[in-house]
Amino acid sequence: MRSFQKILVANRSEIAIRVFRAATELGIRTVAIYAEQDKLSLHRFKADEAYRLDPDKGPIEAYLAIEDIVRTARDAGVDAVHPGYGLLSENPEFAEACAQNGITFIGPGPETMRALGDKVSARQIAIAAGVPVIPASESLPRDLTECEEIAREIGYPLMLKASWGGGGRGMRPIHEPEQLRAAIEEGRREAKSAFGRDEVYLEKLIGDARHVEVQILGDADGNLVHLFERDCTIQRRNQKVIERAPAPYLGDRQRAAICEGALKIGRHTSYRNAGTVEFLLDRQSGEYYFIEVNPRIQVEHTITEEVTGLDIVKAQIRIAEGGRIGSLHETGIPEQANITLSGHAIQCRVTSEDPQNSFIPDYGRITAYRGAFGNGIRIDGGTAYSGAVVTRFYDPLLEKIIAWAPSPNEAQARMLRALREYRIRGVATNLPFLENLLSHAAFGEADYNTRFIDSHPELLSAKKRRDRATRLLTYIADVTVNGHPDVEGRPKPPATALEPVPPRLAGEAPAGTRQVLAERGAQGFADWLREQKQVLFA
């Protein structure tokens, strides 16, 4: 088993910082990369070294430039590259380029990524592994007339999905044939922008569904384990908003079946490193269906760490070094029988989106910031701090709040407390919207599906926070600089005007209650007080 000396993270913001922290705890030096438009991002300053990417490339294009990133990694003398999530994390060409330059890619191999990163190919693997799947198409042809015929064969309603990548990018629900052509064109453009590839496919849409995913870890020796499941049902436009672990509505038998389904796919592909197998659970029938594999770390890996007590990012690094699962001193991951659940965890994604304005991302400088702390609260952030500039170039995610507690209801109450403690000024946030979600009775009862937000428009009617402190400080600053409007135009007192002199007493001050106390003592003073007929003021 080798030991890495230096790791480059080919990503930005909070996930880059998360990997830096894990590597630092392992005694490994860290390297950051950043685009010109991202030069003030916090992740740049959290690493031991940081290098700017090509300034002539765009804010996203810079992070997708494989040749530039690999050259930077080689010049910096790194042993390994961690891709984070999004960007190049599921790009097999990137993994191959690292290998060709003698750099370890911390993730599954390129062949596994090709097999599972392409959702159409992953579907065929699930069928071969004996895991239930939803009726779906192959990658759609360019001819839209052929696409219409494929859609008719599957049957409406449908869900359009990007063949590569995740995070809801490229996804479009299609309820009528008239929506098909526009949805395919829009989905292809979004997929191309997000992942550099525009392949899409169609899948039968299950109306009353829950979204459940299973975290798996595999090593080079063929050891494979699951770290149980996460509930990712609370979504908006196919983007996860709140995640929970474990799923509070699953029974032991159903949990075991879904986790075994994830392991079947992992075994079929000899899966190595961290990955997530995702399923849809039909609420009406109770049946579950495979939908995709994300061959990378997930945004919501945090809640699995909280309920299992295992560090997934450290395990990724150690597995890439050659560590074996089942050997705690090598990977920190025990055998399957010794992986257990403890308590419940919830994650909320705090974003700079305005719920009352169609969730349009807001940009600008954060003028005031106060996070949430206390027992059972974890914050993974990378953009939110006083003075931070939120730009229009990147995802509006500011921070992830994670709450752990022994029971689901306690975790819910703890998360609500944390959300109410938060103060972020200068940009709009979704904090009031998250409070509404957590406060809804259906959330506490786990009585929801993937369309929960769309079917409850009252969740968007969030009361704006008063922001009294910022208004008071603004008032003081304005009066200090510009003067009070009520005295505007009044002549200033002449410079020769005498300052007011307080009056002085003629003679000695009359005796008062202090003297009575000194003369009579405490009991005597109390007796004197009771004898007085007049009203006395303290």
Side-chain angles (χ1 to χ4, degrees):
M1 179 176 171
R2 62 180 298 198
S3 296
F4 296 145
Q5 302 302 310
K6 189 187 287 189
I7 289 176
L8 180 145
V9 180
N11 217 296
R12 62 176 301 277
S13 196
E14 65 88 14
I15 188 57
I17 294 172
R18 172 71 184 91
V19 179
F20 294 154
R21 286 171 172 161
T24 300
E25 290 173 16
L26 292 173
I28 302 171
R29 287 183 60 81
T30 56
V31 178
I33 55 174
Y34 62 94
E36 170 63 23
Q37 298 84 351
D38 214 13
K39 61 187 175 184
L40 299 179
S41 185
L42 192 61
H43 80 276
R44 172 190 173 185
F45 305 100
K46 289 287 187 180
D48 295 310
E49 303 171 26
Y51 299 96
R52 186 181 67 170
L53 296 169
D54 187 346
D56 294 328
K57 287 185 166 61
I60 299 296
E61 183 188 3
Y63 286 109
L64 296 175
I66 293 175
E67 185 178 336
D68 290 350
I69 294 172
V70 172
R71 182 176 61 252
T72 301
R74 189 177 60 244
D75 292 346
V78 307
D79 304 297
V81 168
H82 193 299
Y85 57 72
L87 298 174
L88 292 172
S89 63
E90 298 180 52
N91 190 306
E93 287 80 14
F94 182 45
E96 286 175 335
C98 289
Q100 289 165 5
N101 284 271
I103 300 168
T104 301
F105 180 84
I106 301 176
E111 293 309 313
T112 303
M113 294 171 71
R114 285 194 174 93
L116 295 175
D118 179 354
K119 296 178 179 60
V120 176
S121 172
R123 171 185 165 80
Q124 298 305 318
I125 289 172
I127 293 172
V131 179
V133 298
I134 302 172
S137 71
E138 303 289 327
S139 290
L140 292 177
R142 293 291 169 182
D143 189 332
L144 292 178
T145 303
E146 290 183 46
C147 295
E148 289 173 335
E149 182 59 33
I150 293 170
R152 278 193 295 271
E153 290 175 3
I154 299 172
Y156 291 88
L158 296 162
M159 178 65 79
L160 180 79
K161 291 186 174 183
S163 297
W164 298 85
R169 307 293 189 186
M171 292 180 69
R172 298 287 188 281
I174 303 171
H175 297 278
E176 304 291 342
E178 293 75 19
Q179 300 173 325
L180 182 69
R181 289 182 173 242
I184 291 174
E185 291 173 354
E186 291 172 5
R188 279 178 170 155
R189 283 196 299 270
E190 186 173 355
K192 178 71 173 178
S193 174
F195 313 117
R197 308 182 69 149
D198 66 353
E199 293 97 327
V200 295
Y201 70 102
L202 293 171
E203 184 178 87
K204 184 70 177 175
L205 178 64
I206 298 177
D208 191 8
R210 284 174 163 144
H211 188 146
V212 182
E213 63 185 30
V214 177
Q215 178 72 60
I216 62 171
L217 280 170
D219 64 25
D221 290 348
N223 300 304
L224 184 74
V225 294
H226 70 75
L227 275 58
F228 296 97
E229 84 288 347
R230 298 183 285 256
D231 168 49
C232 304
T233 302
I234 303 294
Q235 304 176 6
R236 179 186 165 272
R237 295 184 180 176
N238 307 305
Q239 293 273 7
K240 298 165 188 172
V241 178
I242 297 177
E243 297 97 351
R244 311 174 76 169
Y249 45 78
L250 285 185
D252 291 342
R253 180 178 296 182
Q254 206 170 28
R255 172 171 291 115
I258 291 175
C259 290
E260 179 58 28
L263 290 178
K264 284 181 178 179
I265 292 172
R267 294 188 195 108
H268 198 83
T269 56
S270 300
Y271 197 89
R272 188 175 74 248
N273 218 277
T276 302
V277 185
E278 305 200 2
F279 300 91
L280 279 184
L281 181 66
D282 191 326
R283 293 185 70 195
Q284 302 304 315
S285 67
E287 298 295 325
Y288 69 92
Y289 302 95
F290 167 81
I291 49 175
E292 65 185 37
V293 176
N294 286 311
R296 53 172 169 80
I297 194 75
Q298 290 276 84
V299 179
E300 60 274 14
H301 73 277
T302 53
I303 50 176
T304 296
E305 292 181 328
E306 293 301 309
V307 297
T308 61
L310 304 174
D311 191 315
I312 297 173
V313 177
K314 282 185 182 178
Q316 283 190 288
I317 296 170
R318 287 164 164 168
I319 288 170
E321 289 177 328
R324 293 167 297 171
I325 291 171
S327 175
L328 286 175
H329 75 277
E330 291 187 15
T331 61
I333 304 298
E335 296 178 346
Q336 185 69 71
N338 295 323
I339 299 174
T340 58
L341 290 169
S342 175
H344 293 258
I346 299 173
Q347 175 178 278
C348 286
R349 305 185 187 198
V350 180
T351 67
S352 60
E353 296 172 306
D354 187 352
Q356 296 183 318
N357 192 20
S358 303
F359 286 89
I360 293 175
D362 194 15
Y363 310 106
R365 186 180 296 277
I366 296 177
T367 56
Y369 169 84
R370 187 177 78 211
F373 304 98
N375 185 31
I377 295 297
R378 165 180 169 179
I379 305 295
D380 276 26
T383 307
Y385 56 92
S386 294
V389 176
V390 181
T391 72
R392 60 185 176 85
F393 302 116
Y394 302 105
D395 187 283
L397 178 66
L398 297 176
E399 286 190 324
K400 302 184 304 192
I401 314 175
I402 302 96
W404 178 93
S407 70
N409 290 340
E410 287 179 274
Q412 179 183 2
R414 185 165 285 170
M415 178 62 81
L416 272 170
R417 184 266 298 169
L419 291 172
R420 288 165 181 160
E421 283 185 9
Y422 250 87
R423 297 293 183 273
I424 299 178
R425 309 302 187 209
V427 295
T429 72
N430 66 338
L431 283 166
F433 171 66
L434 293 173
E435 281 189 52
N436 283 355
L437 279 171
L438 267 292
S439 302
H440 200 284
F443 186 89
E445 298 167 3
D447 181 20
Y448 48 71
N449 60 24
T450 53
R451 297 184 293 108
F452 178 70
I453 293 176
D454 294 334
S455 58
H456 289 81
E458 70 275 9
L459 294 170
L460 305 180
S461 302
K463 184 179 179 181
K464 285 195 173 183
R465 295 183 173 182
R466 289 180 287 180
D467 195 9
R468 293 166 294 186
T470 302
R471 291 207 303 269
L472 178 59
L473 289 171
T474 302
Y475 171 79
I476 293 172
D478 182 44
V479 170
T480 301
V481 174
N482 302 314
H484 196 286
D486 289 351
V487 298
E488 186 178 359
R490 292 187 186 180
K492 292 183 178 181
T496 56
L498 296 176
E499 292 187 5
V501 178
R504 295 182 179 179
L505 291 172
E508 294 185 3
T513 53
R514 184 178 184 280
Q515 284 72 31
V516 176
L517 175 64
E519 293 172 2
R520 302 191 184 190
Q523 184 59 49
F525 179 77
D527 294 338
W528 175 84
L529 202 62
R530 293 189 188 96
E531 295 170 0
Q532 304 308 306
K533 303 301 182 183
Q534 69 270 34
V535 177
L536 301 175
F537 293 91

